[in-house]
Amino acid sequence: MPAAPQTAANRLSDVPSSKMPRHIAIITDGNGRWAGQRGLPRVEGHRRGATSVRRTIEECGRLGIEQLTLYCLSTENWKRPAEELDFLMHLLQSYLVEERPQIMDNNVQIRWIGRRQGMPAQALQALDETVRLSAGNTGLRVCMAINYGGRAEVVDAARGIAREVRDGKIDIADIDESVVDAHLYTAGMPEPDLLIRTAGEMRISNFLLWQISYAELWVTEVYWPDFDEAQLHAAIRSFAARDRRFGGLT
Ligand code: IPE
Ligand code: MG
């Protein structure tokens, strides 16, 4: 008898739920190279990258993952040419508006981490509105890192804590890891268990510096527009096979 066809429901049935990551974070890279390989303008790579975002959100939802965090745009990306940034902001805006019915149907909650300062007003408006509309959804939480930088986040947290010390709300002696945690953009979110990077680079690029302390890393050569369900499953299988000790012994 031929093997049962792989369906969305059984594709990862070999991975016990206790071994599944709660929170997957992805450094989405390689849109430009994907386009370049095909003789297309870089923006075509970004357009196709949005398809990978949709596909990955859908699959994480099906798999019952609690949170997916996507590094869409870093504070450093503003060094790019204005036309590319303009395209990215319009893409983001139209994605957030056009995806709303699917986001609501699939019970997806959208969150955003990053700095408001420097973001175009229209993109901010689309982000805020999608975050607001989806706030009550109880399925997959999708956190988009846009105009995000890990060091900027630490700076903002330090400012927040300093203000509270100045105002007498907390004592310096009471500042511990949980206080720092609570002042990050990611306050209240679980830490990433699995950090995926596409397009082969072996670096963190200022992403979630504090939060990924114990994340398992998985890097693929595949460019983000080609990242699909099979890639996601390979990453999860690799994660499930690892022995996480958090500095202790097994
Ligand atoms: C990643 O693809 C997407 C964004 C940062 C928006 P890149 O645009 O960095 O693609 P490469 O690295 O040039 O291939
Ligand atoms: Mg890149």
Side-chain angles (χ1 to χ4, degrees):
M1 214 172 77
Q6 294 263 298
T7 65
N10 71 12
R11 271 190 293 223
L12 267 182
S13 53
D14 51 312
V15 176
S17 55
S18 64
K19 289 281 186 183
M20 289 289 284
R22 267 179 85 186
H23 180 181
I24 300 175
I26 310 183
I27 300 174
T28 64
D29 198 12
N31 291 354
R33 278 164 280 176
W34 181 92
Q37 255 185 357
R38 288 160 178 78
L40 298 168
R42 288 179 57 82
V43 295
E44 272 315 307
H46 296 318
R47 213 192 295 279
R48 281 292 291 260
T51 306
S52 287
V53 169
R54 185 176 303 118
R55 188 164 52 213
T56 306
I57 290 176
E58 281 174 7
E59 188 60 8
C60 283
R62 277 189 216 113
L63 293 171
I65 303 292
E66 187 177 322
Q67 179 165 334
L68 171 69
T69 298
L70 298 169
Y71 200 8
C72 303
L73 196 80
S74 77
T75 44
E76 288 70 35
N77 288 147
W78 295 104
K79 295 171 192 155
R80 295 187 180 200
E83 310 85 77
E84 182 172 342
L85 288 166
D86 219 48
F87 182 90
L88 279 169
M89 282 298 138
H90 279 102
L91 184 68
L92 169 72
Q93 198 185 320
S94 56
Y95 180 88
L96 286 167
V97 173
E98 283 163 21
E99 287 304 298
R100 273 177 204 155
Q102 287 78 273
I103 288 168
M104 298 312 288
D105 282 353
N106 295 326
N107 197 20
V108 169
Q109 187 192 89
I110 301 287
R111 296 273 292 265
W112 168 47
I113 53 170
R115 272 193 177 160
R116 299 186 73 82
Q117 198 192 349
M119 287 282 290
Q122 282 181 320
L124 267 182
Q125 202 195 349
L127 260 171
D128 287 343
E129 183 63 1
T130 306
V131 167
R132 192 187 63 78
L133 281 171
S134 67
N137 290 349
T138 54
L140 174 69
R141 181 195 293 137
V142 175
C143 174
M144 303 179 116
I146 299 164
N147 197 21
Y148 173 87
R151 289 181 178 176
E153 181 181 28
V154 172
V155 168
D156 287 348
R159 286 182 180 159
I161 296 168
R163 265 193 299 273
E164 290 181 14
V165 170
R166 181 196 60 196
D167 298 344
K169 290 188 188 141
I170 51 170
D171 208 88
I172 289 177
D174 293 331
I175 298 173
D176 59 10
E177 292 187 9
S178 70
V179 169
V180 175
D181 244 346
H183 286 81
L184 296 170
Y185 305 151
T186 53
M189 297 177 188
E191 282 175 21
D193 302 299
L194 169 60
L195 174 63
I196 297 174
R197 181 168 187 139
T198 61
E201 243 86 59
M202 296 289 181
R203 53 177 172 257
I204 298 301
S205 301
N206 203 17
F207 188 43
L208 301 176
L209 296 178
W210 169 279
Q211 299 89 337
I212 58 161
S213 296
Y214 286 100
E216 296 291 330
L217 309 183
W218 192 82
V219 176
T220 174
E221 292 295 326
V222 163
Y223 295 146
W224 177 244
D226 286 331
F227 186 88
D228 61 6
E229 291 87 346
Q231 284 277 307
L232 180 67
H233 295 175
I236 293 174
R237 280 205 179 85
S238 167
F239 171 84
R242 298 186 197 182
D243 177 24
R244 301 183 83 198
R245 292 184 297 276
F246 300 95
L249 305 173
T250 28

